[in-house]
Amino acid sequence: MMFGIFKKKQTNAMDGVIRAIYGNNPPANSADLERAITIAHEDLLAEQVPISDVRRIASGLAAGPIPYSTYDLAVAASLSFFKTPALFNTLAEIQVPARLRVLNWMKSGKVAPGVMKIFEDALYQLYKPTAEAAGETGEKFDEADRILGAKFSAFQKQNAGQPLHHAAKVVCDFMIWQHNFASIEMPDDRTDKQEDHAKRIERAFLFGASGMAAQGFSLGRADEELFMLNIVGMYDGLGPDDAENEVARIFEAGDAEEKANRIGAASLVEYLVNGKSDTHRVHLAALQRECWGQ
């Protein structure tokens, strides 16, 4: 008898959770598990967590009673890792881009508002800088974080429908600004190995910036290849064939230099919403400093 009562209470509690997320008329479970695993692993967690771990968590959630869509399941699975204390340092640099992606997905109808709210509220509380670490009040940084997200959302609304060439030029201008400052610190006696490493970091930085720009200007997946070719054509002055080869190298660098990829994305957000500032022109230079000490 006691077990039956306990089970009934559990069921009622879960019904309450589902209603809190999806309302009084929750949808049927429509999640594509494999697609959700890929989205969580690549788009939200930036491949910082083994895909086997993502699969384990996502599979468990998919087997549960919550009627996730594919993107809802991806968000819920990734949240499990963002909430893991042992991964805080690893995931700290990618949590802002992840939050912006989820917000964008919610606006386009891919993620339920209730799922987005749980994700945003959790990451906001977990990753907000502390007063001790920042040397200033935590409230100030909390507000700055929310303002940045709001500004990026406003930027998306204001720039939806901008020509692809315009978006590519923005990325090109951003990269020239970063590169020119970084070149000041390049030693005259740098070796070929050092220069190759620095170029790989620059490509990864560009890869991250381009991906975030595609979101900022609301470009579709069908436009991504042409977008990258436009960027490379302007930034490196390459023709079509050489540009295709360079884009392939950029994608490879994005995988090899994940930190530069993430920082490029975050830096581009700051650039889009706040413009140029001395504080934020140093990111590529800071990443490449490790090359010169090799």
Side-chain angles (χ1 to χ4, degrees), residues 143-162:
E143 184 63 17
D145 197 23
R146 289 196 181 278
I147 289 172
L148 182 65
K151 284 184 175 180
F152 188 71
S153 296
F155 180 92
Q156 287 177 304
K157 291 179 181 178
Q158 293 167 2
N159 289 275
Q162 285 279 7

Side-chain angles (χ1 to χ4, degrees), residues 258-272:
E258 295 176 350
K259 181 179 179 181
N261 181 347
R262 295 193 302 273
I263 293 177
S267 301
L268 195 279
V269 172
E270 285 281 357
Y271 179 80
L272 291 180

